[in-house]
Amino acid sequence: MATTTITKTEKLVGKRIRRREDPRLITGTATYVDDIKMPGMLYAAILRSPHAAAKIRSIDISKAKALKGVHAVFVGEDTKNAGAVPCGASLPGLRVPHHNLLAIDRVYLVGHPVAVVVATDRYVARDGAELIEVDYEPEAAVADPEKALAPGAHAVHPQWADNVAFTFHQEGGDVAKAFAEADVIVKQRIVSQRLIPNSMETRGVVADWHAADRSMNLFTSTQAPHLVRSLVAQILGLEENRFRVVAPEVGGGFGAKIQTYAEEILLAWISMKLQKPVKWIESRRENFLCTIHGRGHVDFYEIAAKRDGTITGIKLKIIQDLGAYFTVLTPAIPTLSVLMMPGLYRTPNIQADIVGAFTNCTPTDAYRGAGRPEATHGIERMVDMVAAELKMDPAEIRLKNFVRNEEFPFPTATGLVYDSGDYSAPLKKAMEMAGYDQLRKEQVEARKQGKLMGIGLCAYGEICAFGPSPATPAGGWESATVKIEPSGQVTVLTGISPHGQGEETTFAQITGDELGVGIDDVLVLHGDTSLVPYGIGTFGSRSTAVGGTALYYALQDLKAKVKKFGAMLLESEDVTLANGQCTDNKTGKSVGFKEIAAAAYRAMKLPPNTEPGLLATHFWEPPNFTFPFGAHLVVTDVDRDTGNVSIRRYIAIDDCGNILNPLIVDGQVHGGVAQGIGQALWEQAVYDDNGQLVTGEFMDYTMPRAHMMPWIESGHTVTPTPVNPLGVKGVGEAGTIGASPAVVNSVVDALSPLGVKHLDMPLTPEKLWKLISAGSNA
Amino acid sequence: MIPQQFEYSAPKTLDEALGLLAEGAKPLAGGMSLIPMMKLRLASPEHLVDLGRIKDLNYIREEGGAIHIGATATHQDVLSSPLLRGKCPLLAETAAHIGDVQVRNMGTIGGSVAHADPSADYPAALQALEAKIVLKGAKSERTVSAEDFFVDTFTTALEPGEIVREVIVPIDGDGTGTNYQKVLQPASGFAIVGVAVRVRKQGEKVTLARIGVTGLSNRAFRAKEAEKALEGRSGSPAEIQAVAALVGQGIDANSDLHASAEYRLHLTAVYAAKALATALGRIA
Ligand SMILES: Cc1cc2nc3c(=O)[nH]c(=O)nc-3n(C[C@H](O)[C@H](O)[C@H](O)COP(=O)(O)OP(=O)(O)OC[C@H]3O[C@@H](n4cnc5c(N)ncnc54)[C@H](O)[C@@H]3O)c2cc1C
């Protein structure tokens, strides 16, 4: 039972408070989309293309329609005018394919939706889908971005023969000069392979149309309910105020639920057509094929440096595997890589080019880190390679090139302004925790015995708190409403849409401290567009830095009002609000929060120019992004006989600004590190030449499991940001961003006695064993 | 799980079950292999006969100098059986390598051998143990050796209407050592390769060597050349290396995303050496 304290004196922010959302999650009582049942609800099953590229000659739905229990079957011709999957990103000259809800005359990826069967239950719906006969004329496909750009490649979209969706160029400083005057130039092709996000809960939608009042209820597993509402309402020509989107419990997203998907539009359309509620739950197989993928970069780096290790210039060409069509952010993701390409280094001269390539594959979009892991992986690999070339210690070259403390706010060559930092602090702390010098000595001894021991560093920076509105496709502000109920209990409505990040806890901590009430007196609500004011959603490590700040300011407004009522009750003009009570600064007399709340609603008397009730709303526009940073240090041992990598030590030092709840921050770092190690060692979306996803299920796609994880030694340095009054930067993606380069650098270091300079992920045992066995024969 | 429609029976007696199976029904044991296939609609049986309620199939007991394991004994039953741990530790050790806790609590030895996944763990141990598999139909009962039972990928000596009734493993006396070594396929947890070794020594000499291999090829097999090369020797480190190198010799090795044929063969030698050394070291 909740303990109703209403007032308290203990500070909540900064404490390891357990997540208040967990009891319902771990007792299985949370309500996900698939838990929603409605009277008369129908179920949809989607028939999807088995081919990566094919013309559709004909579709015969007669058998499916005749099946008992089938209410309707729709094909592309039916939904042709219902709209297309929206892309929110805009770039000059961008070619945007029109992705119909259901394929019309051709399919361009495995999993392309072709028809939808609506039936009394999901079994009949699936049976019906199997009865549909589609006559395909398969064509050659292209599933690799470099091959897609080669002359003569199959055109994913016949109207664009070169498969180029866009090119993008950016420059800062004088790159030509930097390269002309360089002592060393190091070049490397670096791949950040395609990954599959795999949240625990797949996607799912329930659409429920009420014709009589022209209202739609759409329950969907999303990170951005308001965005879904705006887009789907607009696409279907519905009234936004009568369109309610609810993100109930959402079992993870990792960026793959920011998008507005075909199924959200399709289900709403079907519900209107059939005048019934309709449910669709994505199968795991569909999730692999039809929810966005992440990464998918082939990068070509060139670094110019001076003999003393000063990095003077970076050139980067990115080939981005976009997939066959766009979801909401697809083409924008690699531009984030460009923004972060200098990493934490002062380098004033950069040049970047992106080529966005269409392939007959699932679209790529934001996956935990979205563009920054690729950038960090690239620069952190390259810095190691420059150090190796110059025979410098990898720590030394980093310390030499870091932006210096006195240089903040620091304008980067890519046009950002880094907010605050002490970039050497986490690296030094990690090295101290690891006993770096001792480890290097140990490594010398190990190498004498022929052992392959590696020490890898990564100093990462990231761009968080998305973000100033002009820099985002759909606004970057956030909203919060705080209500003090007549009982004195507090309700927070936030525009963010947490799905595992723990803001029901951290926002209650902020609120508790500001108002002086206990954490159990605060309820944080989110994810229902009919309940909370318009908000942008949860992604890009923005929720606390932007949404928490909106809350902070709403709380300031509300506190002012509480004080007015307090002053009225105390008949004073000079009061302080602290510890859940208002105190007269002269007499020392005080009145409690509960009494103030009751008085504000009872309204027997009101302070001058003051309305009854206690409610405040604030929309906050951030003036800048925030830039968290940190350092990871990884010690690995590579087994010569098998190529197996074992991680002996994993040290993660994060600086995410002020820490509201260390338990939650650790959890975010640990989960992020697991995903980064996953990319470094195991995960990969593999397509064959026909565009079939070979790793299309958990039997082949290696999701890291608990037993594969090392012990993570985490620590922090704290450099508050001046961008927001909470001083928080964001921590949702940091672990992922830091982990993959740290692990790869460690393994490359282990194999460096064999002449290995670079390795592309994932570092599978076989890949390493081949190098080791070739090296030992050589 | 959204399979096609099917009928489901859960008889309490073996005869009843065998009667239904004779009519073309398919047995369901732990469902750990069958249900995923039904879910993906790769298998669409019309009638499932759940063997789980048949008491007469769930036992692990000593009988006539051997251990008899009923078909529905779960992997957890096997790994935790004091009888097996004491008298046939190789099987218990192997069971502990299968899947995860949930899979071990549900999956059965009968289901595993009947399924004959070429990367399953039990088959390696059953080859090394020269186990016998008792097959029962409505009107017949026969016993086949593990060697004859595993025919090909997902193919066994089972005839339509027959079930695996029990698995019989020997009790080895003193002087025997065993070990199972497995290289995990990182995604599925099945064996990229698994090597089970059973060795007996008299004095300094290896008098019996049995090596069962799974994951390497289309079916689990006994590495007889390697066995022969070890018998009569002392099992020195150099001999172990030489014997291990023979284990995969001449085998048409599987090749997939997780391990090429070349790498699989290499791993076979590496892990065979580990299994041999461990088994020899365990001889009491
Ligand atoms: C996540 C996961 C991981 C796994 N990892 C491993 C692993 O690491 N190693 C490993 O070896 N296995 C692994 N398995 C497979 C597991 O061991 C299965 O339990 C086993 O393969 C099948 O046993 P079952 O009792 O579940 O059989 P079921 O799935 O019920 O049946 C399998 C097949 O055998 C038939 N059948 C069942 N019982 C009998 C019988 N008595 N006589 C004749 N036919 C019968 C069924 O008709 C069906 O065709 C894994 C499974 C899963 C789901």
Side-chain angles (χ1 to χ4, degrees), chain A residues 412-424:
Chain A
T412 73
T414 55
L416 298 170
V417 180
Y418 288 174
D419 55 347
S420 62
D422 181 359
Y423 291 168
S424 59

Side-chain angles (χ1 to χ4, degrees), chain B residues 136-220:
Chain B
K136 188 153 175 52
K139 296 194 181 97
S140 64
E141 180 165 305
R142 61 196 177 109
T143 302
V144 298
S145 67
E147 209 178 345
D148 293 334
F149 180 81
F150 296 108
V151 176
D152 203 340
T153 302
F154 302 122
T155 309
T156 67
L158 276 165
E159 294 290 341
E162 271 186 330
I163 62 155
V164 171
R165 197 224 142 101
E166 64 175 13
V167 173
I168 306 173
V169 293
I171 295 172
D172 286 319
D174 287 351
T176 309
T178 58
N179 181 234
Y180 180 62
Q181 291 282 339
K182 173 181 186 180
V183 185
L184 288 184
Q185 195 262 53
S188 71
F190 276 83
I192 281 183
V193 62
V195 184
V197 168
R198 170 167 161 251
V199 283
R200 195 173 300 146
K201 256 183 160 181
Q202 238 164 18
E204 279 309 295
K205 272 212 177 118
V206 176
T207 55
L208 174 125
R210 292 293 177 266
I211 303 171
V213 184
T214 189
L216 184 61
S217 62
N218 62 330
R219 66 180 201 105

Side-chain angles (χ1 to χ4, degrees), chain A residues 600-623:
Chain A
Y601 284 93
R602 184 65 187 83
M604 293 298 282
K605 201 177 150 204
L606 293 171
N609 302 321
T610 305
E611 297 158 9
L614 292 171
L615 179 146
T617 294
H618 195 97
F619 284 68
W620 189 64
E621 167 66 23

Side-chain angles (χ1 to χ4, degrees), chain B residues 26-27 29-34 75 99 103 107-108 112 114 120-121 164 182 189-190:
Chain B
K26 191 167 176 58
M32 293 293 99
S33 297
L34 184 51
H75 309 331
V103 170
T108 68
S112 176
D121 294 298
V164 171
K182 173 181 186 180
F190 276 83

Side-chain angles (χ1 to χ4, degrees), chain B residues 229-241:
Chain B
L230 185 59
E231 283 172 352
R233 305 291 173 93
S234 68
S236 69
E239 285 165 2
I240 288 176
Q241 290 304 322

